[in-house]
Amino acid sequence: MQSYHSLSAEVYQLDKPIGSSFGDVEYYAARLQGVQGRILEPAVGTGRILIPLLQQGFAVQGFDPSAAMLDICQQNLKTSGFESSVVFNGQLENFHAQQPYQAIIIPTGSFLLLDQDDKAVLALQNCYQALEVGGRLIFDVFFQHQFKQGESKVKTYKTPQNELISLTMTSSEIDYVEQVTTTHHRYDKWNIAGECIESELEVFKLKWFGLAELKRLLQQVGFSEISMSSDYQYLAAPHNHSEIISIEACKR
């Protein structure tokens, strides 16, 4: 799974601060109602989903492969009055739980960062093994509606120190055979004097899956009772223009 570096993690925190929601925080909180046991959020990022769930009384832990993301997440946890030890470094492809979880959640399309078939299968197998019997996996995927090969976009963010970070995103390649898009990101940080003080390059790959394909993979791993919902409306049928599709599967 892709690991974010310092500037990309900083931009994520600026763009999606704790307390912001796209309907996902409310959706996951609703779907987790009744879960009394431990919950795991792989690819926890800055804690945008984890912290509101902790505030609602859920017993959530998380991990992330990015040290930069974890640093910000731990700061956010401390600011919100929680122990930073609830998050740790880890990758979904090689994660093995010491104790079972009652639910595992992967919001915001982070599952698509598993950019190879074998990584995705390993991740699903690890989730299955980490769940207790009756436990649920809930995760989001999305289609590549917005990808236009060769297109570049620039976004600018202001930091609390009045510095600026510019992000240039260039849609570089779409591989229909492997079902992977590649976008090149360039981050530049500018101080108040207009000098560039830090730069960062990132190759950002996302793999998309057909819904029937995902259902087969989940069934092969052992999951059952598989349901899909569109745009954070539970059991609303997915369609070609769905912005996000949430998939829920159970270990029986």
Side-chain angles (χ1 to χ4, degrees):
M1 181 173 280
Q2 179 169 305
S3 179
Y4 292 83
H5 300 293
S6 58
L7 285 182
S8 56
E10 188 174 355
V11 163
Y12 193 96
Q13 168 78 350
L14 293 169
D15 190 47
K16 304 175 184 70
I18 305 300
S20 61
S21 176
F22 308 101
D24 47 2
V25 174
E26 295 82 0
Y27 180 84
Y28 276 86
R31 296 307 306 141
L32 292 170
Q33 287 300 316
V35 175
Q36 303 296 320
R38 297 174 351 124
I39 300 167
L40 177 67
E41 185 188 355
V44 70
T46 60
R48 186 181 66 83
I49 303 286
L50 177 134
I51 289 173
L53 292 179
L54 286 171
Q55 290 171 334
Q56 294 183 51
F58 293 103
V60 195
Q61 296 177 330
F63 65 78
D64 203 281
S66 168
M69 281 288 201
L70 282 177
D71 284 345
I72 294 174
C73 186
Q74 289 172 334
Q75 292 169 19
N76 288 335
L77 282 163
K78 291 177 182 177
T79 300
S80 301
F82 297 104
E83 294 291 333
S84 60
S85 58
V86 300
V87 296
F88 54 94
N89 185 267
Q91 295 197 58
L92 195 48
E93 307 96 294
N94 54 28
F95 172 72
H96 300 286
Q98 300 300 311
Q99 294 180 301
Y101 291 90
Q102 197 170 351
I104 297 175
I105 62 171
I106 314 174
T108 67
S110 296
F111 186 79
L112 304 189
L113 294 170
L114 298 157
D115 60 358
Q116 297 175 11
D117 284 331
D118 57 348
K119 291 181 182 179
V121 172
L122 276 172
L124 291 176
Q125 289 172 339
N126 291 342
C127 286
Y128 187 84
Q129 293 300 324
L131 285 168
E132 63 183 48
V133 175
R136 288 179 292 153
L137 169 65
I138 313 172
F139 65 104
D140 295 340
V141 298
F142 54 83
F143 302 134
Q144 303 295 306
H145 293 310
Q146 307 300 322
F147 192 91
K148 296 179 181 178
Q149 191 167 355
E151 181 180 68
S152 288
K153 297 180 180 178
V154 180
K155 291 186 176 181
T156 304
Y157 304 88
K158 180 178 284 189
T159 74
Q161 296 76 30
N162 288 321
E163 297 168 329
L164 292 178
I165 302 176
S166 60
L167 165 59
T168 304
M169 300 168 287
T170 302
S171 301
S172 303
E173 181 184 2
I174 184 165
D175 186 333
Y176 290 100
V177 175
E178 298 298 330
Q179 298 169 224
V180 173
T181 59
T182 302
T183 304
H184 287 86
H185 294 170
R186 179 187 174 95
Y187 298 85
D188 293 296
K189 179 182 272 191
W190 310 82
N191 64 19
I192 56 176
E195 301 166 327
C196 184
I197 56 175
E198 189 177 354
S199 295
E200 185 176 287
L201 299 177
E202 176 182 74
V203 179
F204 191 76
K205 292 189 175 185
L206 291 175
K207 182 173 179 63
W208 76 88
F209 297 84
L211 298 185
E213 176 187 18
L214 267 178
K215 186 174 182 179
R216 284 194 299 271
L217 287 176
L218 287 163
Q219 290 172 332
Q220 287 169 13
V221 168
F223 284 103
S224 60
E225 301 175 33
I226 300 164
S227 63
M228 301 186 182
S229 305
S230 175
D231 297 327
Y232 299 125
Q233 302 296 315
Y234 182 57
L235 294 184
H239 51 83
N240 286 336
H241 301 291
S242 296
E243 293 293 327
I244 201 88
I245 296 166
S246 302
I247 300 166
E248 190 165 329
C250 188
K251 177 177 179 176
R252 292 296 186 194

